[in-house]
Amino acid sequence: MPIQTPICDFGKKALPFELKSTDNKIISLNDVKGENGTLIMFICNHCPYVKAVTKEIVEDCNQLKKIGISSVAICSNDFVNYPEDSFDNMIKFAEMNNFGEINYLFDETQEIAKKYKAECTPEFYLFDSNQKLVYRGRMDESSPGSDQAPTGNDLRTAIDNLQNNRPISDKQFPSMGCNIKWKS
């Protein structure tokens, strides 16, 4: 059963992290902070909601880089009970989906997901250039098995408004997907 997340806590500062990337580097928030903003995504390898939008995520992140908004993906799932989300499988998932320069980070202790109060995959947090939260929610209204193809409309609208110094609507829709698989 899909889970839905709370709506944006506007203005909340991005929380620091240092996590291992699929390139075997330790990456911090400061390493990925974009000049014009930062998109932090909680994803995983096995979730059908993530799989349904992975192509759009990669395309969007490549476009965001061109406008000074960096992107980072974090996997926080319990990999013992969900081995498809193991670090080795994260590497394979990133390669298979052409993540390229998108940092895919391993939250092995689940500490960062807990700090961000992440609840599901995929879940999107958009921060402005001052690392203040302006959007938390879904990518769009699509879901696996529906007739609705992924468009990225909700997230792209927030990004467009951020980029063009327009107000970002406080009418935001929660992320919907698989719950983060917490360790016992």
Side-chain angles (χ1 to χ4, degrees):
M1 175 153 173
I3 187 168
Q4 292 190 344
T5 61
I7 298 297
C8 185
D9 186 3
F10 293 98
K12 184 174 182 172
K13 291 286 274 184
L15 301 167
F17 56 78
E18 287 188 348
L19 297 169
K20 183 168 66 169
S21 74
T22 52
D23 294 332
N24 277 313
K25 297 176 185 170
I26 299 299
I27 303 293
S28 72
L29 175 62
N30 286 334
D31 294 330
V32 297
K33 181 182 180 256
E35 179 182 342
N36 296 320
T38 307
L39 177 64
I40 298 176
M41 304 166 280
F42 286 87
I43 69 169
C44 69
N45 307 331
H46 87 274
C47 173
Y49 287 84
V50 172
K51 288 178 178 182
V53 297
T54 300
K55 180 181 178 207
E56 285 73 21
I57 288 173
V58 172
E59 289 172 3
D60 286 353
C61 291
N62 288 331
Q63 293 302 313
L64 290 176
K65 185 175 180 171
K66 295 176 184 177
I67 60 171
I69 298 176
S70 67
S71 305
V72 62
I74 300 173
C75 181
S76 301
N77 274 358
D78 172 7
F79 59 93
V80 172
N81 289 310
Y82 296 86
E84 192 174 343
D85 293 328
S86 71
F87 184 70
D88 288 340
N89 285 324
M90 287 174 59
I91 293 169
K92 292 174 188 172
F93 187 82
E95 289 172 357
M96 182 177 69
N97 290 290
N98 301 311
F99 273 31
E101 294 183 45
I102 301 169
N103 288 295
Y104 191 17
L105 308 180
F106 186 39
D107 183 15
E108 184 173 4
T109 66
Q110 301 185 314
E111 175 186 350
I112 303 309
K114 289 176 183 172
K115 281 185 178 181
Y116 275 81
K117 298 181 180 172
E119 294 188 24
C120 74
T121 59
E123 189 167 358
F124 300 91
Y125 295 75
L126 178 64
F127 295 89
D128 67 13
S129 60
N130 296 313
Q131 294 186 343
K132 290 185 178 178
L133 188 63
V134 296
Y135 182 85
R136 177 185 180 181
R138 68 186 187 185
M139 186 171 185
D140 59 31
E141 65 281 357
S142 68
S143 63
S146 74
D147 293 338
Q148 184 74 32
T151 63
N153 284 345
D154 295 324
L155 181 58
R156 288 178 185 162
T157 298
I159 291 165
D160 185 57
N161 288 340
L162 176 63
Q163 180 187 10
N164 292 294
N165 294 314
R166 291 190 302 255
I168 296 176
S169 175
D170 58 356
K171 184 180 180 189
Q172 298 183 3
F173 298 96
S175 295
M176 187 172 77
C178 300
N179 65 306
I180 290 183
K181 309 306 183 205
W182 300 108
K183 296 177 181 179
S184 302

